[in-house]
Amino acid sequence: MFKRFKKKVNKPNEKETLNLHNIPEHIAIIMDGNGRWAKQRKMPRIKGHYEGMQTIKKVTRAAHQLNVKYLTLYAFSTENWSRPNEEVNYIMGLPVNFLNSFLPELIEKNVRVETIGFTDQLPEKTIQAIETAKSQTAQNDGLTLIFAINYGGRAEIINSVRHLIQDARENADFSIDTIDESLFESYLMTANYPDPELLIRTSGEQRLSNFLIWQLSYSEFIFYKKLWPDFEETDLIECIKTYQLRQRRFGGL
Ligand code: FPP
């Protein structure tokens, strides 16, 4: 008989309990592995993205329940336009689908929807869905759910430099000595958020892929084996426990 056993991947902390007093204020996630998830099931890649969207709902609920203050999700990078048209079009429709089905729950849970990225370059239907969600949740002050859409860290930095120089040119009193980290950060798309304490990337890949390259300078990185559509609330808790162990060791030194 073929003996089945459950492989323990990424579950080193099962016996640890979650410390509710040390939940990261800001968690950033690179949602990777949708295509591989679909391929493993001999399904089209877009099915993986659809399931990935369902995972976003689960993770948002979990983050809300854990009192996470900011959750930033890498939904579409400035490099993702090079994918086949059919896939790009499908991904661009997902915010519409997501918000049609989930906006009432986001409102009920006091979640504020925001975006970072060059959203003005998105298709009109995507912009409309996002703008509606932003305006209908603008007064909420629970979890802030930030979608990075058409976002790239290098492009963000170049964009910030351009704006900073423009402001400097328009202000005769401007002195370059006033340029410091805090001033520069005020030009980033993330100016209103603290830096993430924790970055999670699913699917086992160990890269930043141009995501929040300035903001993640001091963050803890967790590269998690599971593919994004398989990621669940318990996996988020697992990641936070790993983060808490790292914090504790650091504090003990
Ligand atoms: C990475 O997996 C995933 C993406 C590039 C797209 C992620 C988008 C969503 C989950 C939906 C966005 C929805 C909303 C509501 C904004 P991959 O395709 O690179 O996977 P692979 O590496 O296995 O091919």
Side-chain angles (χ1 to χ4, degrees), residues 31-37 45 49 52-53 56 74-76 80 83 87 91 94-95 98 147 149 203 228:
M31 311 180 285
D32 197 9
N34 294 348
R36 275 164 284 169
W37 184 93
R45 290 178 56 81
H49 295 313
M53 178 191 72
I56 294 177
Y74 204 7
F76 195 83
N80 285 151
R83 294 186 176 209
E87 184 172 342
I91 295 176
L94 282 176
F98 175 82
F147 287 107
I149 308 187
S203 91
W228 178 247

Side-chain angles (χ1 to χ4, degrees), residues 55-200:
T55 300
I56 294 177
K57 295 180 186 173
K58 289 187 215 166
V59 169
T60 302
R61 288 186 186 112
H64 159 76
Q65 218 162 15
L66 291 164
N67 281 324
V68 173
K69 202 72 190 105
Y70 302 91
L71 177 65
T72 301
L73 303 175
Y74 204 7
F76 195 83
S77 78
T78 45
E79 289 73 38
N80 285 151
W81 295 107
S82 63
R83 294 186 176 209
N85 270 343
E86 189 212 11
E87 184 172 342
V88 171
N89 288 339
Y90 187 79
I91 295 176
M92 287 301 150
L94 282 176
V96 183
N97 186 327
F98 175 82
L99 293 164
N100 274 343
S101 56
F102 202 49
L103 188 55
E105 188 174 334
L106 292 173
I107 293 170
E108 182 257 315
K109 289 193 158 54
N110 193 24
V111 176
R112 187 168 63 190
V113 177
E114 301 205 337
T115 56
I116 54 171
F118 301 90
T119 45
D120 53 331
Q121 295 162 13
L122 299 175
E124 199 47 45
K125 60 173 184 189
T126 318
I127 296 178
Q128 279 302 324
I130 291 168
E131 287 310 316
T132 304
K134 279 188 190 171
S135 66
Q136 290 196 18
T137 61
Q139 305 305 320
N140 293 352
D141 60 3
L143 169 70
T144 300
L145 175 61
I146 305 153
F147 287 107
I149 308 187
N150 196 21
Y151 172 86
R154 290 184 178 181
E156 177 190 32
I157 289 172
I158 297 290
N159 182 59
S160 308
V161 170
R162 284 187 182 146
H163 282 117
L164 201 162
I165 292 176
Q166 197 171 10
D167 282 355
R169 277 188 182 154
E170 287 165 12
N171 176 0
D173 300 331
F174 186 87
S175 153
I176 55 167
D177 297 333
T178 61
I179 302 177
D180 57 10
E181 290 185 14
S182 147
L183 180 77
F184 186 70
E185 280 170 355
S186 72
Y187 283 86
L188 292 171
M189 291 163 176
T190 51
N192 295 329
Y193 321 126
D195 289 342
E197 295 98 323
L198 172 60
L199 168 81
I200 301 167

